[in-house]
Amino acid sequence: MEIDLDNAATTPIEPEVRSAMLPYLEQHFGNPSSRHPPGLLAAKALEQARATIARALGAGPEDVVFTSGGTEANNLAVLGLARARKRHGRHVLVGPTEHPSVREAAAALENEGFEVETLPLDATGGLDVERSAAALRPDTVLLALMLVNNEFGTVYPVARVARLARANAPSAWIHVDAIQALGKVPVSLAELGVSSLSLTAHKVHGPKGSGALVLAEGVRPLPLLLGGGQERGLRSGTENVAGIVGLARAVALAVQSQREAARSMHRLRSLLCEELSRWRGARVLDPGGKDAVSPAIAAVQLPGPPAEVWMHHLERRGIYTSAGSACHAKKRSVSSALLVLGLDAQEALHVLRFSFSRHTREEELRRALEVLKEVESELSARR
Amino acid sequence: MKPAAATGEVVVARYGELWLKGKNRHLFEERLRANARAALGGIARTRIERVQGGLVFAPEEPPDGHKRELVARRLQEVFGFSSISPARVARPEPDEIALVAGEVLAAALEERPRASPIRFRVETRRSDKTFPMISTELDRFVADRILGPHHERLKVDLSHPELVLGIHVHADQAWIFAERLPGAGGLPVGTVGRVAVLLSGGIDSPVAAWMSMKRGCEIVSVSFHSYPYVGASFLQKVERIVRRLARWQGPSVLYGVPFAEAQTAIRDRTREDYRTVLYRRMMQRIAAELAGREQATALVTGESLGQVASQTLENLTAIGAASTLPVLRPLIGFDKEETIALARRIGTYELSIEPEPDCCTVFLPRRPVIRGRIDVCEDEEAQLDVDALVTQAVAGAERKSIEPA
């Protein structure tokens, strides 16, 4: 039996999403830019998808830009928004534990003359809101903060920071990476009060290679891809029609099921934490406090050998998890987000991530806990 | 001899030291021919003909300079050739030869800088001694005919030429070429025997494998993995390396051997400082066992003297003593830089440096022994059921045949 506890990496396609996509892979192959019936049909599917996503996330239908996934959406937001605001200032703020697609894009901005600053953490490992507020400036043009961290599940107070930013940095556009948040915590552009929001289909039971950047009214990044002017000139390239149809269905399902999914995943996470609280040397990471965490992710510092060894021992028994930091033959690649939290490189190597989906069943988790205990005794017997 | 090519374009590949091999020569030639044919598989259908001192490859396609280049480049990866020349074919008559020579020269000059005059000569060899001119006469005849249009760019220099226009005259045709590409040298793979290479995924062992192929050995690769202490993707990395090495020998056998059991047994029951030496002794036993199955008669390792703590003279001796087969260490006198340079040349370096934990990174001793002693190794191994561990590893080994890429 295989039990997937690595849903923060990716998820299988929901049957309903698949059936929505199939007609666009088979008979409806038109190019949405063509002005004949097959093209018009494809264009109509795009517009429906746009409307579905806008409705689900509290945006206007004309404000959804389809991309090749989360990385492109984050790149478009960080590079495109900052560049578009250049005449208002050159100051950029990014969250303390952003995904590389935000971090690396921000680093690239430094080469264009922007000043990039990272928001500070407090003693618990959560965002230090007061000091973050102090970092806001009149010439701040972009603030990028993720809603849910992908490695340990911390939920950042995006709405609060956005309010502070509107007051203290009036020129700033605020981008939120909602990729790990969608379907796990409430996500609404309007309620968060942000300028843009990125998402990707494959983290919510949709297809890989399809994502979107959702924009608030009047927010317009400079495009990264130039060409035929698709997506109102914000993202040229023939649209991935089937992928977009799949994205829309997946997003709608994720938003619809969010409350119930959160409740069931919360239960799983509690069971896991409860078991590990009995282990010597094990610790669940909850930077920012127990209440500010996604129900879908549990990062656990395990005793004994590095997390990678645990991962392979579990995988051999059909249980899939993720060791974010790996020790390689010559170099150790350690997650920088874990280091930011104040873990040292040794500790970071011992962090194993469990992540759930709305389909993870309690009996699966219980079985996984049994196996985890087996592996523990196997690994410790040999020490 | 039959005409080598209707197309007028051939590739001439000259033997290296192969011709020295006396009575066995035809075996070497046959094997070389088969290896070359395998190397060209999928590129071009070529006719291969034996001539004095080498083989001639005639693509059976309409004239296509690009294909000829591809053939030449692939032949550079076949051990046993000393040099390779893409050549044009002419009828063996002085006028014809000069005509084609003029075209070959013009093409060669297009690829060279115009800055300063190029030192140049013509060099003729005749295997048909009935040809109406002797070699030096043909040299001069051709040079007189072709130098004219290029006299500003060329300067005749018989002793230090930069550009040599070669002419080989045979009874029924002549070859004209301006390039002599270096061959891979060495002996045809498979003519010397078969060896089992302990392939770690690091930089050294693929180079050792390549060097043993160069000296005519066919290789079987044996790789140890410590799953589930490291990821199963380790074997994919080793497969990529073997696929690269297979360019020099064709389909190649790889054994992936589960090694975690042996390693944990060693870790749990023997002294820590001897672990590395004991792991390696165990690997030698397992590799020797697998070698026997594949009719391989020696082991090859990437060890070199003194490069890391486990490679002291004492440790190499203690490790090698566990093998029932002779252990060849082609890199024994190499500096690391030399190995790296060669790994880059053969294209395994990029594959080797991909970060992927291997079995050597598991349960490393804090202070490995520098001067390991065989008697201590044997005492420590008395704590283990060595035969059972070897049998278990051999039974769990996965055999794969890897196609070249």
Side-chain angles (χ1 to χ4, degrees), chain A residues 305 308-313 315-316 327-331 378-379 381-383, chain B residues 227-233 260-261 264-265 267-268 336 355-358 361:
Chain A
E308 212 188 336
V309 172
W310 285 87
M311 180 183 93
H312 295 310
H313 276 74
E315 127 207 339
R316 189 164 61 159
C327 57
H328 293 315
K330 292 274 149 58
K331 73 168 206 232
E378 180 185 335
L379 289 171
R382 285 181 150 166
R383 274 198 307 280
Chain B
Y227 186 78
Y229 290 87
V230 302
S233 47
E261 281 302 320
T264 45
R267 179 195 59 177
D268 293 344
K336 192 74 185 181
E356 187 68 64
D358 61 51
T361 61

Side-chain angles (χ1 to χ4, degrees), chain A residues 81-321:
Chain A
L81 292 178
R83 285 171 184 165
R85 291 306 262 180
K86 211 164 180 170
R87 64 195 170 87
H88 297 273
R90 303 274 174 114
H91 184 236
V92 171
L93 288 167
V94 294
T97 66
E98 294 300 299
H99 186 268
S101 58
V102 167
R103 235 170 41 226
E104 295 298 320
L109 283 175
E110 284 188 321
N111 299 328
E112 298 176 19
F114 285 90
E115 179 193 349
V116 178
E117 222 181 314
T118 304
L119 296 175
L121 291 172
D122 65 17
T124 69
L127 187 79
D128 188 327
V129 177
E130 266 174 43
R131 281 167 59 221
S132 293
L136 293 161
R137 308 194 317 215
D139 66 334
T140 305
V141 289
L142 175 69
L143 187 157
L145 180 62
M146 61 189 355
L147 187 49
V148 170
N149 175 276
N150 53 311
E151 290 180 67
F152 35 83
T154 294
V155 179
Y156 290 106
V158 171
R160 226 181 123 196
V161 172
R163 269 199 305 278
L164 289 165
R166 277 197 303 278
N168 300 301
S171 294
W173 274 340
I174 304 152
H175 170 65
V176 59
D177 168 352
I179 288 166
Q180 294 287 356
L182 191 66
K184 286 87 183 178
V185 301
V187 176
S188 156
L189 190 81
E191 280 173 35
L192 290 169
V194 296
S195 318
S196 67
L197 183 153
S198 55
L199 45 108
T200 193
H202 78 102
K203 307 280 192 197
V204 287
H205 305 280
K208 291 169 184 65
S210 179
L213 183 66
V214 184
L215 301 167
E217 206 184 328
V219 175
R220 207 179 153 88
L222 288 186
L224 304 181
L225 301 187
L226 308 177
Q230 288 89 341
E231 299 297 288
R232 292 178 298 132
L234 296 181
R235 204 278 189 182
S236 288
T238 299
E239 298 86 345
N240 171 10
V241 180
I244 288 166
V245 169
L247 169 72
R249 189 59 61 98
V251 169
L253 287 172
V255 171
Q256 264 166 39
S257 61
Q258 185 268 324
R259 280 182 63 173
E260 202 184 322
R263 203 172 316 132
S264 99
M265 291 189 287
H266 183 76
R267 162 120 185 102
L268 303 176
R269 193 176 189 280
S270 306
L271 282 172
L272 175 69
C273 294
E274 194 184 302
E275 168 63 31
L276 291 170
S277 69
R278 290 194 285 269
W279 287 29
R280 262 165 58 114
R283 168 166 94 92
V284 179
L285 303 183
D286 44 16
K290 287 189 176 35
D291 302 326
V293 69
S294 161
I297 294 179
V300 182
Q301 198 177 324
L302 288 170
E308 212 188 336
V309 172
W310 285 87
M311 180 183 93
H312 295 310
H313 276 74
L314 288 167
E315 127 207 339
R316 189 164 61 159
R317 293 165 171 81
I319 300 199
Y320 304 134
T321 59

Side-chain angles (χ1 to χ4, degrees), chain B residues 226-239:
Chain B
S226 305
Y227 186 78
Y229 290 87
V230 302
S233 47
F234 167 70
L235 276 178
Q236 292 172 6
K237 172 181 174 179
V238 174
E239 274 178 35

Side-chain angles (χ1 to χ4, degrees), chain B residues 219-367:
Chain B
I219 60 160
V220 171
S221 303
V222 180
S223 198
F224 297 86
H225 65 84
S226 305
Y227 186 78
Y229 290 87
V230 302
S233 47
F234 167 70
L235 276 178
Q236 292 172 6
K237 172 181 174 179
V238 174
E239 274 178 35
R240 288 193 288 275
I241 292 173
V242 173
R243 190 165 299 128
R244 177 78 206 180
L245 290 172
R247 291 173 84 121
W248 284 273
Q249 83 164 32
S252 186
V253 169
L254 166 65
Y255 279 97
V257 185
F259 198 55
E261 281 302 320
Q263 272 183 301
T264 45
I266 290 169
R267 179 195 59 177
D268 293 344
R269 291 188 222 132
T270 65
R271 48 191 271 198
E272 182 180 333
D273 58 343
Y274 266 72
R275 271 184 206 166
T276 312
V277 173
L278 294 175
Y279 293 159
R280 285 169 198 272
R281 280 170 61 88
M282 201 63 91
M283 290 180 190
Q284 308 267 319
R285 293 189 183 95
I286 296 164
E289 189 72 27
L290 292 169
R293 282 194 189 178
E294 299 286 334
Q295 287 87 46
T297 52
L299 301 185
V300 172
T301 73
E303 291 158 324
S304 93
L305 208 45
Q307 225 171 60
V308 291
S310 63
Q311 295 179 354
T312 60
L313 201 48
E314 289 84 351
N315 284 351
L316 289 184
T317 308
I319 292 164
S323 170
T324 50
L325 294 177
V327 180
L328 310 180
R329 301 179 181 91
L331 308 187
I332 200 70
F334 268 26
D335 293 345
K336 192 74 185 181
E337 289 74 26
E338 293 173 291
T339 306
I340 289 175
L342 197 45
R344 283 186 195 279
R345 223 184 85 201
I346 64 185
T348 53
Y349 181 76
E350 303 304 323
L351 304 173
S352 293
I353 59 171
E354 278 174 40
E356 187 68 64
D358 61 51
C359 64
C360 304
T361 61
V362 174
F363 317 138
L364 288 181
R366 275 158 297 199
R367 290 176 58 85

